[in-house]
Amino acid sequence: EAQVTQNPRYLITVTGKKLTVTCSQNMNHEYMSWYRQDPGLGLRQIYYSMNVEVTDKGDVPEGYKVSRKEKRNFPLILESPSPNQTSLYFCASRPGRNTGELFFGEGSRLTVL
Amino acid sequence: GEDVEQSLFLSVREGDSSVINCTYTDSSSTYLYWYKQEPGAGLQLLTYIFSNMDMKQDQRLTVLLNKKDKHLSLRIADTQTGDSAIYFCAESRAGGGNKLTFGTGTQLKVEL
């Protein structure tokens, strides 16, 4: 089944404890992206990647890192999480760098205490 | 500005039509999208319209685009309880990987 898989789906952590949210797609998509969803703000793009080893900042990249060592994986790294990073995170992918439908994962709800 | 705006809530009775509105600011938008988010799930693409079109119909869904006013709407005919969800409009802009900019989302509640 074609899908975008995120892990973990739910996580409660404490300020400063490094964490990684993994994202994997099995559709051989070139483009991958991370969004955060907050009430009243919709989805805001954190980082995106147009291909392996190519990543760029989105609208709200501060406090986050990403890597794209393989085509299928695009992990989101929070080196030192803070409470303002408490949010619902979505990974998404699409076939082409500039075109095609965006497919979303089911989301990862992160709480930073 | 880069804002895509939607009203936060809409409540309709089952069987009525729902109209969800969206305004955007970037006149260079190429495609405009409607996504649906059901509880506990990611976003799913419902429909989209190219910026040189005025209207697109797909079964119970009708998308209207007023490019002059930068206004997009989604009409759902014969709304069902299964249509209860959050609906996001999004615009695609050239450059930067054809980034999608999402609206704030409209929570649609369908009452019996």
Side-chain angles (χ1 to χ4, degrees):
Chain A
E1 182 188 350
Q3 58 188 2
V4 179
T5 304
Q6 300 178 223
N7 277 296
R9 294 287 314 280
Y10 302 92
L11 180 64
I12 300 174
T13 189
V14 295
T15 299
K17 186 176 181 183
K18 180 180 177 179
L19 69 93
T20 299
V21 186
T22 63
C23 174
S24 181
Q25 50 92 5
N26 61 0
M27 297 169 277
N28 201 37
H29 285 174
E30 289 194 25
Y31 178 98
M32 297 184 75
S33 181
W34 276 102
Y35 292 85
R36 60 178 287 174
Q37 182 181 5
D38 300 289
L41 296 175
L43 274 77
R44 294 178 292 168
Q45 190 180 52
I46 303 171
Y47 270 93
Y48 66 97
S49 169
M50 303 256 274
N51 213 328
V52 175
E53 301 292 3
V54 179
T55 62
D56 279 293
K57 294 178 181 178
D59 296 318
V60 288
E62 294 78 19
Y64 304 95
K65 288 185 180 178
V66 291
S67 69
R68 189 92 183 273
K69 293 187 172 63
E70 307 159 285
K71 200 170 188 178
R72 62 183 293 130
N73 295 323
F74 190 45
L76 179 69
I77 302 152
L78 285 73
E79 293 270 2
S80 183
S82 62
N84 65 10
Q85 292 178 297
T86 292
S87 187
L88 178 58
Y89 291 87
F90 287 100
C91 180
S93 71
R94 73 176 179 223
R97 282 177 287 175
N98 293 307
T99 58
E101 177 184 344
L102 204 54
F103 290 84
F104 283 82
E106 292 189 315
S108 297
R109 185 166 292 282
L110 171 66
T111 301
V112 183
L113 301 174
Chain B
E2 296 196 354
D3 288 345
V4 179
E5 295 188 352
Q6 303 175 235
S7 53
L8 290 180
F9 298 103
L10 176 65
S11 180
V12 299
R13 288 183 185 268
E14 189 177 39
D16 287 351
S17 292
S18 308
V19 179
I20 302 171
N21 294 303
C22 171
T23 57
Y24 61 98
T25 56
D26 192 336
S27 57
S28 68
S29 298
T30 50
Y31 286 91
L32 294 125
Y33 302 83
W34 284 103
Y35 280 82
K36 178 183 181 182
Q37 184 184 29
E38 296 184 354
L43 280 71
Q44 278 190 299
L45 180 65
L46 271 182
T47 187
Y48 65 92
I49 188 168
F50 189 52
S51 58
N52 69 354
M53 296 170 64
D54 297 324
M55 185 182 91
K56 181 178 179 181
Q57 186 144 6
D58 184 1
Q59 299 182 341
R60 292 191 297 123
L61 305 178
T62 303
V63 179
L64 294 177
L65 175 60
N66 181 329
K67 201 170 180 184
K68 174 176 166 288
D69 293 339
K70 298 189 185 71
H71 183 265
L72 180 74
S73 67
L74 173 70
R75 179 176 179 268
I76 306 172
D78 187 25
T79 313
Q80 303 297 307
T81 54
D83 295 324
S84 292
I86 301 176
Y87 291 81
F88 290 92
C89 66
E91 59 173 345
S92 175
R93 299 171 182 175
N98 268 32
K99 170 185 146 180
L100 280 189
T101 298
F102 287 86
T104 48
T106 299
Q107 171 99 49
L108 174 64
K109 182 179 178 183
V110 182
E111 298 174 326
L112 296 171

